[in-house]
Amino acid sequence: MHPTMDTSTQSLREHDTIRAVRWQGDRLCLLDQRLLPAEERWIECLNAEEVTQAIRDLAVRGAPAIGIAAAWGVVLAAQQGAPLDDVLATLRAARPTAVNLMWALDRMKGRIAAGAQAAALEREAQSIQDEDLAANRHMGELGAALIAPGSGVLTHCNTGSLATAGYGTALGVIRAGVADGRINEVFAGETRPWQQGARLTMYELVRDRIPAHLIADSAAAHLMRSGKVQWVIVGADRIAANGDTANKIGTYQLAIAARHHGVKFMVVAPSSTVDMATPDGEAIEIELRHADELLATGGRRTVVEGARAWNPVFDVTPAELIDAIVTERGVIERPDAMAMRAMFGQ
Ligand code: MRU
């Protein structure tokens, strides 16, 4: 490690300066994740329609962050006297896979049904955001405790401060693990096609001075074979009642390769990502996005005109390939329906 790098325990625990979702009392400011790391530009959403559009277009992304943004969208609608049932329905339909979106909207809906007005809804949205940050810090401790000192880890997509209220889920475990000396090397897959790993995770890791290497997604099995990583650590968009987990496309193949190479596989997500009403991964809707996201790179067409593409942006990792699910309520090792029920009820 470079001698001037400040990776003391205290600094890593507290050096968590990125906040991508900021409420300003009458507008929601979002750090536009489509432009990072080239440009740090904020967009202002003045109403629920603009929040919905920002979620659809991935200006804000990551399961917890879209739930938080949607809650603020409901607050804007309430302040402006917009029809809340319509707003709830439109926001809910913005993206299908991450259940945090539906969870946050159901929470807001419950408050509306109880007669809450704009000020009370504002307090609820703030609680959703604050609770997410607290959950991430707690999961960081729980997840890091599973990792032997001196380990290397591989992560996928972006699960950090940009994807949450702050600190991150899988990236929170990595932050805590580096601070504790349990993790000494981090690898991040670039996460084609949208490059969340290359553009966003590397941005966070470099800012926090965490030693990290970017790898091509297709280098993952080779990395595991080299013995450089002992854990794959990822986030989740929805965890079904049997522990099957939907996450960014490419996660499933990482889990298969990890099992083959004796590398452990950890999923880190707040309980707002757990959906006990969905029995298993088969029942999770996988978002299909436009083929253009694959046919072009950085806005420039790279594939011959006339070519077609299939662009599912999530996949499901079966529970039997997961060694540990870490939530703020605790750790489930070797998850299955019974262990999930014991922790989450239903
Ligand atoms: O399409 P995205 O960028 O919203 O997908 C994000 C992911 O798949 C993350 O891994 C997941 O939401 C967890 S974020 C803490």
Side-chain angles (χ1 to χ4, degrees):
M1 195 184 304
H2 194 281
T4 61
M5 285 182 178
D6 179 11
T7 49
S8 66
T9 298
Q10 198 59 15
S11 96
L12 275 173
R13 285 202 198 299
E14 288 170 11
H15 188 75
D16 162 35
T17 51
I18 304 165
R19 293 290 176 268
V21 180
R22 291 180 198 239
W23 174 246
Q24 301 288 352
D26 63 350
R27 67 198 59 208
L28 182 65
C29 296
L30 300 171
L31 180 56
D32 191 339
Q33 301 196 30
R34 296 166 298 185
L35 304 177
L36 289 172
E39 209 180 318
E40 292 181 7
R41 192 193 299 168
W42 289 83
I43 55 175
E44 288 191 347
C45 299
L46 300 176
N47 54 50
E49 290 68 41
E50 290 179 0
V51 175
T52 307
Q53 200 58 43
I55 294 171
R56 270 194 211 120
D57 294 349
L58 310 186
V60 58
R61 35 74 40 208
I66 64 178
I68 293 163
W72 288 121
V74 175
V75 176
L76 286 171
Q79 287 178 339
Q80 294 160 5
L84 292 182
D85 283 347
D86 295 353
V87 164
L88 287 165
T90 320
L91 279 163
R92 200 179 184 90
R95 293 189 75 187
T97 305
V99 77
N100 308 61
L101 176 63
M102 296 69 179
W103 171 88
L105 291 169
D106 284 344
R107 217 169 124 165
M108 298 303 281
K109 191 175 173 183
R111 301 291 294 131
I112 293 165
Q117 303 295 308
L121 293 174
E122 188 171 351
R123 286 194 294 278
E124 188 71 11
Q126 191 62 56
S127 299
I128 289 173
Q129 184 156 340
D130 295 346
E131 288 166 24
D132 187 63
L133 181 58
N136 291 339
R137 291 193 184 279
H138 187 44
M139 291 189 294
E141 304 294 323
L142 294 175
L146 302 175
I147 300 169
S151 295
V153 302
L154 169 64
T155 190
H156 189 56
C157 195
N158 171 265
T159 62
S161 299
L162 293 167
T164 63
Y167 199 65
T169 57
L171 212 57
V173 168
I174 291 171
R175 285 190 160 101
V178 172
D180 288 350
R182 292 172 181 274
I183 296 175
N184 61 11
E185 177 102 73
V186 180
F187 294 87
E190 61 180 347
T191 320
R192 282 280 295 149
W194 213 69
Q195 309 266 21
Q196 287 95 330
R199 294 191 306 101
L200 308 176
T201 297
M202 291 306 289
Y203 169 83
E204 293 200 37
L205 291 171
V206 167
R207 271 179 70 126
D208 278 9
R209 301 179 182 187
I210 291 175
H213 285 99
L214 179 69
I215 62 164
D217 294 321
S218 43
H222 181 63
L223 173 73
M224 292 181 204
R225 191 180 170 88
S226 76
K228 289 182 198 294
V229 293
Q230 284 65 52
W231 281 91
V232 175
I233 310 179
V234 297
D237 289 85
R238 190 183 294 232
I239 301 175
N242 69 344
D244 289 355
T245 294
N247 190 48
K248 180 52 55 193
I249 192 77
T251 303
Y252 175 34
Q253 64 196 22
L254 292 180
I256 293 169
R259 185 56 58 90
H260 181 77
H261 292 96
V263 170
K264 297 281 182 100
F265 192 89
M266 185 192 307
V267 171
V268 188
S271 54
S272 54
T273 307
V274 173
D275 179 10
M276 294 301 283
T278 294
D280 56 33
E282 282 297 311
I284 299 176
E285 182 180 350
I286 298 295
E287 181 179 6
L288 277 176
R289 291 187 67 91
H290 203 283
D292 286 352
E293 291 181 357
L294 266 179
L295 296 170
T297 305
R300 190 160 162 262
R301 177 93 184 189
T302 48
V303 182
V304 65
E305 290 298 336
R308 297 192 301 169
W310 181 56
N311 187 23
V313 300
F314 298 100
D315 59 26
V316 173
T317 299
E320 66 256 30
L321 293 178
I322 300 171
D323 292 290
I325 293 179
V326 177
T327 75
E328 80 282 9
R329 295 200 196 164
V331 176
I332 299 182
E333 297 195 49
R334 292 176 300 282
D336 60 16
M338 201 191 296
M340 289 291 293
R341 214 167 26 247
M343 189 165 287
F344 298 104
Q346 240 176 41

